[in-house]
Amino acid sequence: LIFSYIINTYIIGHGNYGEVFLATDERGRQFALKSISTNKGRITSKLIEHIKSEINILKEVSHPFITAL
């Protein structure tokens, strides 16, 4: 994914660690794009653990609407 090809985004969710956007590429394909906030530039160990945990879960999930990692 090249970010310059994203032509439209809308915020569809907020969480403790960032926001989720509905993004559209130049071909009209839509997907969710997660932005992780680093709390004003500080990356905490709690944030790193949360991200690692989410990545591990997404690696195990097999669903047609979720991109494989």
Side-chain angles (χ1 to χ4, degrees):
L1 175 65
I2 300 172
F3 290 107
S4 63
Y5 295 136
I6 297 172
I7 59 172
N8 212 352
T9 60
Y10 301 97
I11 296 175
I12 58 174
H14 297 273
N16 290 333
Y17 297 104
E19 299 173 326
V20 178
F21 297 87
L22 175 61
T24 306
D25 67 10
E26 80 273 351
R27 294 183 187 173
R29 298 177 296 189
Q30 292 184 322
F31 54 93
L33 177 66
K34 187 169 190 175
S35 170
I36 299 173
S37 171
T38 58
N39 194 16
K40 299 181 183 178
R42 293 178 299 199
I43 299 175
T44 64
S45 60
K46 185 177 179 182
L47 174 61
I48 292 170
E49 280 302 311
H50 181 80
I51 293 169
K52 284 181 179 180
S53 176
E54 189 168 324
I55 289 169
N56 288 334
I57 291 168
L58 289 173
K59 283 181 180 179
E60 298 295 321
V61 172
S62 176
H63 192 277
F65 298 137
I66 298 176
T67 302
L69 295 182

